[in-house]
Amino acid sequence: MTYCVGLKINKGLVFMSDTRTNAGVDNVSTFRKMRCWTKADERVMVLLSAGNLATTQAVVSLLDERTKAPDERTLSMLETPSMYQAARLVGDTVKEVIRQSAPVGQNADAFGASFVLGGQIRGMEPRLFLIYPEGNFIEAGEDTPFFQIGETKYGKPILVRAYDPAMSFEETIKLLLVSFDSTLKSNLSVGLPLDLLFYERDSFRIGYEKRIDQDDAYFRTISDGWSSALKTAFKSLPDFSR
Amino acid sequence: MTYCVGLKINKGLVFMSDTRTNAGVDNVSTFRKMRCWTKADERVMVLLSAGNLATTQAVVSLLDERTKAPDERTLSMLETPSMYQAARLVGDTVKEVIRQSAPVGQNADAFGASFVLGGQIRGMEPRLFLIYPEGNFIEAGEDTPFFQIGETKYGKPILVRAYDPAMSFEETIKLLLVSFDSTLKSNLSVGLPLDLLFYERDSFRIGYEKRIDQDDAYFRTISDGWSSALKTAFKSLPDFSR
């Protein structure tokens, strides 16, 4: 599996993804699940992917090829007039890839992949989309300001409880690391290193990008600190009494 | 779905289960998923169930009928010489029920059910088992002192982090309520009221039993308190800095 989160705050967008892929437990590899397309001072787009690695790589390759060959008649990620059209392009590409894989007779579910796409194009608001394996998609709103894909359940409770649209990038990264740490501790199919990226609204360039591995001092602080902070929080509640 | 946890501490066994069952989102009902068999001063057995309601009810009914008709040649829950044999009896009954459902042509997976069985028989240690839909089972040990069935992921991180075998019953109930509250807040298919039971080692009677509903004062304290305690814990960690 995989764990990726795209999150919208007032200040912009924050993305985090793990890098573990596995086919069974004895075929484990590290692959980047976060891709960016940028056009200086005009647009930034970030794509997170979960699901069948062949499908997600094919989708990204097709999107990339189109981006590199602007003479093609299909629009590329760098030319879509809006984020909505970019989400449609990703959705159509997923459908195309899955359709090509399906006829060999295997279950189409096995080729499934989900994506989170976020970004901003000059003159428009930052937007965040979740694209389903079927190629259709939904957009984040005020009530649902983040999307998770992959192994989403372990890390959801803290996101639900601590998210606040007024958070700073620094706090949001802390929140995501706590959510990822809970998932890493509970599920073998999600693994370090993590990729982190944030985009500041109206900046039209990537704000900050980092790969966080086992030795990252801040990650260690959060991982160890959260265990003891949780225990303290737990102790602060009154015990049950009959 | 469902969420049930059976947990082993030095002092004994603690069980908690929700009561929501659903077939689709518009067919929601409340059913008890916790059953007990007791023989005063000799044995206590508690069974938690998750999965297809027809299967779990059939299993419990068969176990109950055998318990009520001791002349039958098959052993009943009140006669098994050990907890291991009781787990085998549950496992064999699950296999029997699923075998009877399967021939109608539907997917056997749809009839699946899992069980947590815990208890103690005089002269032996308290034991805790997880019984799979296939009828085989595993036993809790020092390294894996609890079993969850149903919608297990949301509530796992706090169990992993805060469990301690030396906990009191009062702390253990608090831990389970936090784990259930996280699940309730994240997943619609798990619902109040909750059933709670604890068994004190070598007592050979149920120590305490309670149904916890929306208005339960302690549940409200934990649910509200945990949200703010989590936020405080989260704030206590240092923010990310570049």
Side-chain angles (χ1 to χ4, degrees), chain A residues 1 151-158 160-162 167-178 181-183 185-187 196 198 200 207-208 210 212 216 218 221-223 225-227 229-231 233-242, chain B residues 151-158 160-162 167-178 181-183 185-187 196 198 200 207-208 210 212 216 218 221-227 229-231 233-242:
Chain A
M1 282 288 270
E151 199 57 73
T152 62
K153 297 184 177 184
Y154 306 102
K156 190 177 177 186
I158 185 66
V160 170
R161 274 168 156 136
M167 285 195 300
S168 65
F169 284 114
E170 289 71 20
E171 278 177 303
T172 309
I173 291 167
K174 179 170 76 171
L175 175 59
L176 288 175
L177 278 181
V178 168
D181 185 52
S182 294
T183 310
K185 281 218 168 45
S186 299
N187 192 295
L196 154 71
F198 73 69
E200 192 170 349
Y208 183 74
K210 191 180 185 184
I212 295 166
D216 186 272
Y218 183 66
T221 307
I222 293 299
S223 181
W226 185 240
S227 275
L230 262 193
K231 281 178 195 157
F234 182 67
K235 286 208 186 305
S236 77
L237 295 178
D239 285 352
F240 178 75
S241 63
R242 292 188 231 185
Chain B
E151 199 58 73
T152 61
K153 296 185 178 184
Y154 304 103
K156 189 176 177 188
I158 184 66
V160 171
R161 274 167 156 136
M167 285 195 298
S168 66
F169 285 114
E170 289 71 21
E171 278 178 303
T172 309
I173 291 168
K174 179 170 78 170
L175 175 59
L176 287 176
L177 277 180
V178 168
D181 185 53
S182 294
T183 309
K185 280 218 167 46
S186 299
N187 193 297
L196 156 69
F198 72 68
E200 193 170 348
Y208 182 74
K210 190 179 185 185
I212 295 166
D216 186 272
Y218 183 66
T221 307
I222 294 300
S223 180
D224 300 343
W226 185 241
S227 275
L230 262 193
K231 281 177 197 159
F234 182 66
K235 285 207 188 306
S236 77
L237 296 179
D239 286 351
F240 178 75
S241 63
R242 291 187 230 184

Side-chain angles (χ1 to χ4, degrees), chain B residues 8-230:
Chain B
K8 203 173 163 182
I9 52 175
N10 295 344
K11 289 199 158 60
L13 300 164
V14 188
F15 302 89
M16 196 173 278
S17 58
D18 84 319
T19 50
R20 182 163 292 175
T21 69
N22 68 307
V25 289
D26 55 356
N27 187 357
V28 177
S29 321
T30 302
F31 282 94
R32 189 173 171 84
K33 300 167 190 171
M34 182 187 285
R35 321 288 167 123
C36 312
W37 289 269
T38 54
K39 204 168 176 178
D41 292 325
E42 202 258 337
R43 67 175 67 197
V44 166
M45 288 177 187
V46 180
L47 185 71
L48 307 177
S49 57
N52 184 295
L53 186 63
T55 300
T56 60
Q57 288 196 343
V59 168
V60 171
S61 296
L62 281 172
L63 293 172
D64 259 343
E65 280 188 18
R66 284 167 190 167
T67 303
K68 283 170 195 157
D71 299 339
E72 261 190 72
R73 290 181 59 194
T74 51
L75 281 176
S76 81
M77 290 298 272
L78 295 181
E79 286 167 330
T80 55
S82 66
M83 284 302 300
Y84 176 83
Q85 293 293 340
R88 249 187 79 174
L89 179 61
V90 175
D92 289 345
T93 310
V94 181
K95 273 192 280 191
E96 184 184 329
V97 168
I98 292 185
R99 200 166 43 232
Q100 283 164 355
S101 313
V104 296
Q106 281 198 45
N107 182 357
D109 287 350
F111 297 105
S114 315
F115 297 84
V116 169
L117 175 71
Q120 188 179 15
I121 298 177
R122 189 171 283 279
M124 287 171 269
E125 283 293 292
R127 295 173 78 175
L128 185 68
F129 295 92
L130 172 66
I131 299 146
Y132 295 108
E134 290 76 11
N136 57 347
F137 51 87
I138 56 174
E139 183 174 2
E142 269 178 43
D143 298 319
T144 304
F146 60 85
F147 289 128
Q148 306 168 284
I149 50 177
E151 199 58 73
T152 61
K153 296 185 178 184
Y154 304 103
K156 189 176 177 188
I158 184 66
L159 288 182
V160 171
R161 274 167 156 136
Y163 169 83
D164 177 351
M167 285 195 298
S168 66
F169 285 114
E170 289 71 21
E171 278 178 303
T172 309
I173 291 168
K174 179 170 78 170
L175 175 59
L176 287 176
L177 277 180
V178 168
S179 174
F180 270 76
D181 185 53
S182 294
T183 309
L184 289 165
K185 280 218 167 46
S186 299
N187 193 297
L188 278 184
S189 74
V190 178
L192 291 168
L194 309 176
D195 288 311
L196 156 69
L197 184 155
F198 72 68
Y199 168 75
E200 193 170 348
R201 99 173 3 242
D202 302 332
S203 68
F204 303 105
R205 53 184 181 78
I206 289 166
Y208 182 74
E209 214 178 347
K210 190 179 185 185
R211 176 156 280 200
I212 295 166
D213 62 19
Q214 189 64 42
D215 304 325
D216 186 272
Y218 183 66
F219 175 70
R220 293 255 53 89
T221 307
I222 294 300
S223 180
D224 300 343
W226 185 241
S227 275
S228 53
L230 262 193

